[in-house]
Amino acid sequence: MPDPLSALIDLVAEGGVAVLSGAGLSTESGIPDYRGPTGSARKFAPMTYQTFTRDTAARQRYWARSYVGWRVIGRAAPNAGHRAVAGLQRAGLVSAVLTQNVDGLHQAAGARDVVELHGSIDRVVCLDCGQTTGRAELDARLRAANPAFAALAAAINPDGDADLDDAAVEAFRPVDCARCRTGVLKPDVVFFGETVPAERVDRCFASVAEARALLVLGSSLTVMSGRRFVLRAAKLGVPVAIVNQGPTRGDAYAAVKVDAPLGTVLPALGDALTLAQSGRSNEP
């Protein structure tokens, strides 16, 4: 019986692989996981859409924490795992990249047509007039509105939410939409209590249905948002491979499971497949 990495190489070598990535792929970029080896329990419950839209104090708390968290998320760079996924896509082996992450690191590494299931923290939308702007523009406005704000976070979550004490939150001044002047700004991400746009979900299901294999990277599959694609793959007879540190809720459906750091496994996978392709191209 082949070892798990060899089995993974054999599976991906056939091509037609849909990748589903989670927070564990970004830990080596300095963004902590929720539940993996670098994860830590939140001090606060995650913000819900209903609370964010109805409660001015909650929005102040969110933007104060997100302002500090952006210092980490905004500076993060793709790691070897992101680059390996992009390389496998360029080599024609990966047919789709679906991610639960909101950090934009797949695209920064060169991946194309990435489906961001939960949106992107790099964009901000006005809930009143609908204008979408870049996070860097909002960050500059928040910096100007809070010149003396210098709070330090106790912890950062993968969505850029930082744990701050109450005094720091109370000192923070949020800003409204720059176009309509009164509109509520929200990061272009799916909050708890919000639903992922149906078109986005349908696109992911279609990618799974068209794939020859589904490769899950760095996700514990604890929530149904990602696990449903593993269940669909299993129902359709699409082989599932999982690379993650620790158990996942999809392990029972996995044809291949590699329990190891993605920053080690994915470059090794890419190197092995590049070598194999090179060998085939040199055959007489």
Side-chain angles (χ1 to χ4, degrees), residues 202-217:
D202 290 344
R203 187 177 170 191
C204 291
F205 275 135
S207 294
V208 171
E210 294 165 2
R212 201 197 55 79
L214 174 64
L215 174 57
V216 179
L217 303 175

Side-chain angles (χ1 to χ4, degrees), residues 99-161:
T99 186
Q100 300 174 83
N101 299 338
V102 298
D103 52 40
L105 293 180
H106 274 301
Q107 296 93 318
R112 307 178 308 278
D113 301 322
V114 178
V115 181
E116 296 174 307
L117 194 62
H118 298 150
S120 174
I121 200 72
D122 191 45
R123 299 186 299 268
V124 180
V125 62
C126 175
L127 297 182
D128 289 19
C129 73
Q131 175 171 266
T132 299
T133 56
R135 182 59 181 265
E137 178 182 328
L138 174 64
D139 189 63
R141 294 181 61 218
L142 289 173
R143 207 164 48 243
N146 297 273
F149 190 79
L152 297 176
I156 304 290
N157 293 302
D159 56 3
D161 184 28

Side-chain angles (χ1 to χ4, degrees), residues 35-230:
R35 302 175 183 87
T38 68
S40 60
R42 285 179 183 263
K43 181 180 176 182
F44 300 97
M47 182 66 67
T48 67
Y49 179 78
Q50 292 75 16
T51 299
F52 183 87
T53 54
R54 295 171 186 169
D55 189 338
T56 302
R59 289 196 295 275
Q60 178 187 30
R61 184 170 69 250
Y62 175 84
W63 280 118
R65 287 156 47 177
S66 187
Y67 176 76
V68 174
W70 179 248
R71 311 272 79 73
V72 173
I73 304 296
R75 290 196 302 263
N79 61 49
H82 296 108
R83 292 191 293 272
V85 170
L88 292 172
Q89 188 183 45
R90 285 193 299 272
L93 298 173
V94 165
S95 58
V97 180
L98 323 172
T99 186
Q100 300 174 83
N101 299 338
V102 298
D103 52 40
L105 293 180
H106 274 301
Q107 296 93 318
R112 307 178 308 278
D113 301 322
V114 178
V115 181
E116 296 174 307
L117 194 62
H118 298 150
S120 174
I121 200 72
D122 191 45
R123 299 186 299 268
V124 180
V125 62
C126 175
L127 297 182
D128 289 19
C129 73
Q131 175 171 266
T132 299
T133 56
R135 182 59 181 265
E137 178 182 328
L138 174 64
D139 189 63
R141 294 181 61 218
L142 289 173
R143 207 164 48 243
N146 297 273
F149 190 79
L152 297 176
I156 304 290
N157 293 302
D159 56 3
D161 184 28
D163 287 348
L164 299 181
D165 61 38
D166 291 341
V169 169
E170 290 170 4
F172 189 80
R173 180 187 169 196
V175 297
D176 293 323
C177 175
R179 184 170 77 174
C180 69
R181 302 297 181 185
T182 59
V184 171
L185 296 177
K186 174 185 173 291
D188 193 13
V189 299
V190 177
F191 278 11
F192 283 83
E194 243 185 315
T195 57
V196 178
E199 176 275 331
R200 219 175 282 171
V201 176
D202 290 344
R203 187 177 170 191
C204 291
F205 275 135
S207 294
V208 171
E210 294 165 2
R212 201 197 55 79
L214 174 64
L215 174 57
V216 179
L217 303 175
S219 176
S220 63
L221 300 171
T222 299
V223 296
M224 188 56 72
S225 177
R227 187 166 176 258
R228 57 184 157 183
F229 303 117
V230 171

